[in-house]
Amino acid sequence: MARSDEERIGIFGAILALAVAAAAFAAGGEAGGAPPAALGFDIAPTVFFVRDGSALRQLLSLTVQNGGAATSGTLTAAIAGRDLSFPLGQIPAGRSTFSVAVPEVTKPVGAAFTLRAGRLTVRKEVGLKPQRKWTVDLFHHAHTDIGYTELQTRVAANHADYIDSAVDYCRQTDGYPDDAKFRWNIEVSWSLQQFLKTRPEARVRELVELIKAGRIELSGLYLNQSDGFSHEELARSVDLAREFGKANGFEVVSAMNDDVNGFSWALPQIFRQAGIKYFATGINETRSRAPLRRPCAFWWESADGSRVLEWEGEHYLFANYDLSLHEPLATSAPKVGDYLAKLEARGDFPYDMIAFNISGWTTDNCPPGRGLSDRVKEWNEKYAYPKLRLAIWRDFFGP
């Protein structure tokens, strides 16, 4: 039977489509899309490590620029005499990122990476060097600003309630890994005063037990204060905490001061006389500047030679506002990684440990966040480093 012109055109089109598909397959094209018209990538080390049995692997960030249709590909690497292969699965069109884990390097080495996608191959050489294994301490507390978020009487009641919650959360997380066990820092002893006014002796004993166990710490200062206080007021500001500690068999060795910029030069002398060795600050630079580039640690010495080890940390809500550490890992991990990488690149921070103040949420006079224990637990289950730790002040400063 003679075929019509339309039938002959349809058959010819089908044959042509098969020929094109066969040619693409022979050239290495992938099903589901044409091979890339252009391909490029960048690869960079990160601060993150994961465990591979007893070994550590460092995570590298791979950024792929695919100038064609979606395809699949593989990254291979030659590092310190080892050949590694990382199937990437689907590489979408445009820009995409992947994470690959390579064995930890203990000295600077060169690494050669090859990306194959479709019929294209791109190579790149980068240098890898040993990466700091960071520990990130989180000083969980409520910033005390009487009257800022509520009436003064309500703020006083709230801060007493917060100590109750901290005691309960410590008990609830006793079975957690140690770094994730709930810990609380009582920012000012004024909060303790509100608690003591309204709680029964049995509840106070629970608090004392947790202070002695290193799960809660009491600041030596009565209130967040600036150099506007008289010397007599400064000297008396350590009395409540010191007397409570003496009466209950523990030493008060730390103090915190947040949201102000200047501190009296008399403080190191007052601290020394009160037995306080450590001072943590979270300065708010909204109206004035921090005295030194932060974060940093230094010995602050007064005119008579008395000194205190001071941590000039970031803003007292930095871990919330800037790092989102009270939120899920997908939100917080990139921010923490970026911050630590920039801090290391800055060149003037020699330590592999750092501390941030953190609240249950992003506001002053904020209740404790029980969920922080879960955030830390989840983080440390995923990453070997940076390691997160809910900490009291003396944990960070040392003995």
Side-chain angles (χ1 to χ4, degrees), residues 10 71 100 128 146 156 169 172 187 223 236 239 246 262 277 302 346 356:
T71 186
V100 296
L128 299 178
I146 303 169
Y169 296 162
Q172 292 171 17
E187 186 190 56
L223 287 172
R236 296 298 183 190
D239 287 351
K246 185 176 180 180
K277 300 183 288 185
S302 61
R346 205 174 81 180
F356 300 106

Side-chain angles (χ1 to χ4, degrees), residues 294-363:
R294 56 184 181 173
C296 67
F298 60 94
W299 288 102
W300 184 24
E301 187 171 307
S302 61
D304 74 331
S306 301
R307 65 179 190 168
V308 61
L309 181 57
E310 178 166 350
W311 172 250
E312 185 179 275
E314 299 283 6
H315 184 282
Y316 65 92
L317 285 172
F318 186 86
N320 299 97
Y321 278 120
D322 294 80
L323 302 181
S324 300
L325 276 166
H326 59 294
E327 298 186 21
L329 270 62
T331 301
S332 60
K335 296 180 179 181
V336 173
D338 184 60
Y339 175 89
L340 294 177
K342 288 178 178 177
L343 180 60
E344 185 169 350
R346 205 174 81 180
D348 63 352
F349 191 84
Y351 316 109
D352 59 5
M353 60 187 299
I354 192 169
F356 300 106
N357 296 0
I358 191 167
S359 290
W361 194 245
T362 53
T363 187

